[in-house]
Amino acid sequence: MSDLRQRLKACFCTIFPDLRDEEIPLATLKSVDGWDSLATVTLIAVVEETFGVQVSPDDLEQFTSFELVVEYLQQRGNHSVCSAPSELRR
């Protein structure tokens, strides 16, 4: 698994702690209980901190599944800033 995917999985674990490791790559807005607008905003904040990116409001639709977030980050090409969300680095 790529470093980007591993680090994104850590972000998802922070926001959705009840997801099993094998469920995270399949996670979507519709498949995850509790993935609501607040969870989306929190996920974006964690992704911004972890990957050193700024997510535009125009890009919110990219944050509806694990795979779409992977694609978004790959397109941005900036995924080497931090190793994990700060709450996971403690």
Side-chain angles (χ1 to χ4, degrees):
M1 181 175 291
S2 73
D3 180 58
L4 182 147
R5 287 179 175 275
Q6 281 295 103
R7 292 169 50 219
L8 185 57
K9 279 180 82 171
C11 295
F12 270 71
C13 284
T14 299
I15 308 306
F16 308 110
D18 294 335
L19 283 181
R20 293 188 319 264
D21 192 55
E22 64 272 8
E23 292 176 315
I24 293 173
L26 305 173
T28 68
L29 182 66
K30 292 182 180 184
S31 71
V32 176
D33 288 336
W35 190 338
D36 55 15
S37 58
L38 180 58
T40 300
V41 170
T42 306
L43 177 62
I44 289 170
V46 172
V47 167
E48 287 179 331
E49 179 181 340
T50 300
F51 292 93
V53 297
Q54 287 288 352
V55 177
S56 165
D58 295 336
D59 296 330
L60 293 179
E61 70 276 357
Q62 295 295 313
F63 285 76
T64 57
S65 76
F66 180 86
E67 287 302 322
L68 283 176
V69 178
V70 167
E71 289 175 20
Y72 175 81
L73 291 170
Q74 287 173 335
Q75 290 171 357
R76 296 291 300 261
N78 183 4
H79 44 82
S80 61
V81 175
C82 301
S83 61
S86 60
E87 54 270 15
L88 296 178
R89 288 184 260 157
R90 292 184 191 156

